[in-house]
Amino acid sequence: MPSKKAVIDIGTNTFHLLIAEVDKASNIKVIHKNTIAVKLGEGGVNKGYIAETAYKRGIDALILYREELKEFGLGYVFATATAAVRDAANGQQFIDEAFLKSGIKINLIDGLKEAEYIYNGAKGAGVLSQETSLIMDIGGGSVEFIICNQNEIFFKNSYQLGAARLLADFYHNDAAISDETVIELHRLFEKKIYDLKKAIEKHHPRELIGTAGSFDSFANIIATRKNELFDAALQRDYQFQIDQFNELLNEIIRSNHQQRENLEGLIPLRTDMVLMAAILTQYTMGIGNIEKVTTCTYSLKEGLILAETL
């Protein structure tokens, strides 16, 4: 009999509740999922605290999740919090209040553990092979990189280069981002992910596997333009044509807020987040000589579900 599991991923931008059945072969059958655009990092992600209104939205979301768990007869849920909570001075206060008001115990995980769960998710989706790949998970507060194949991890790290964090520091109006600011971002990346560059030179991954919302957005935009179906709830992956993918990144980087708002297939939450995701993705592809790009729809929450069955 498959076992029913519930996990909550408390991210900087979105909270995810996933209830699923997992069989002995690690197949995931989704029973219920609910994604809420809490924006926990809004107003405080770069200041080291959770702002008051964001804090309240987070608590309210967890109270709602508790009610949904009751509906499905589940008392236990494995909940994790990542960058927005672990980097906040009032992060422990948020964890304590969440438990008091919702009964949900939050496990605070570091970036390396987060990377492991992301790897578990990609592996469970079946997108890894014997070839070496680079997994990239762009969150709101941090980005995780994993160099791996289906059998092992060669390198993993987490960096405070999430899309919300970068937006707060580098994008202050609705105009197209300047070339000077892009250069400034590249300098930041060069400094922050120097060890990743060295690991890429050592292990030579040729495929970039993107997980989480930004890469789902890239896939949705391109699939919409090609009249193809992309449904992150039904598909485990989406293969890009490398030229089309590079063209989309260039288009996003050159665009202003209104132009991104008009992009078919892009949800409002990611109108500006996708700009920073595109700049970071393009930089990563440049240092890695990437030849193939894939979106994997399994990420942290699926990795949590699968890890809990081990």
Side-chain angles (χ1 to χ4, degrees), residues 205-250:
R206 289 294 174 260
E207 179 180 12
L208 177 66
I209 298 174
T211 62
S214 294
F215 277 85
D216 287 353
S217 295
F218 296 148
N220 210 32
I221 293 166
I222 287 179
T224 299
R225 291 177 176 180
K226 295 171 70 175
N227 292 315
E228 293 177 348
L229 176 66
F230 173 72
D231 187 339
L234 301 175
Q235 295 169 243
R236 294 186 180 188
D237 64 287
Y238 182 87
Q239 306 283 334
F240 293 104
Q241 292 180 8
I242 193 75
D243 290 344
Q244 287 183 328
F245 187 74
N246 283 323
E247 286 172 10
L248 177 61
L249 294 183
N250 284 326

Side-chain angles (χ1 to χ4, degrees), residues 11 13 24-25 32 43 60 96 120 122 130 159 162 186 209 231 244 264 282 286 302 305:
N13 289 322
K24 290 182 179 179
H32 174 73
D60 289 346
D96 294 341
N120 284 341
Q130 295 292 340
Y159 307 88
H186 285 182
I209 298 174
D231 187 339
Q244 287 183 328
E264 281 192 74
Q282 188 179 72
E302 288 80 12
I305 282 278

Side-chain angles (χ1 to χ4, degrees), residues 28-69:
I28 299 173
K29 179 184 177 183
V30 176
I31 297 171
H32 174 73
K33 65 195 307 185
N34 185 7
T35 296
I36 303 174
V38 171
K39 298 183 182 179
L40 193 66
E42 188 173 63
V45 68
N46 277 15
K47 300 171 184 175
Y49 68 91
I50 304 169
E52 183 178 353
T53 53
Y55 188 107
K56 184 179 184 304
R57 290 195 300 267
I59 298 297
D60 289 346
L62 292 170
I63 292 170
L64 175 62
Y65 282 165
R66 170 52 67 195
E67 294 306 309
E68 293 180 5
L69 288 163

Side-chain angles (χ1 to χ4, degrees), residues 9-26:
D9 167 16
I10 297 170
T12 303
N13 289 322
T14 51
F15 286 17
H16 302 273
L17 168 66
L18 173 62
I19 301 173
E21 288 182 346
V22 185
D23 64 21
K24 290 182 179 179
S26 294

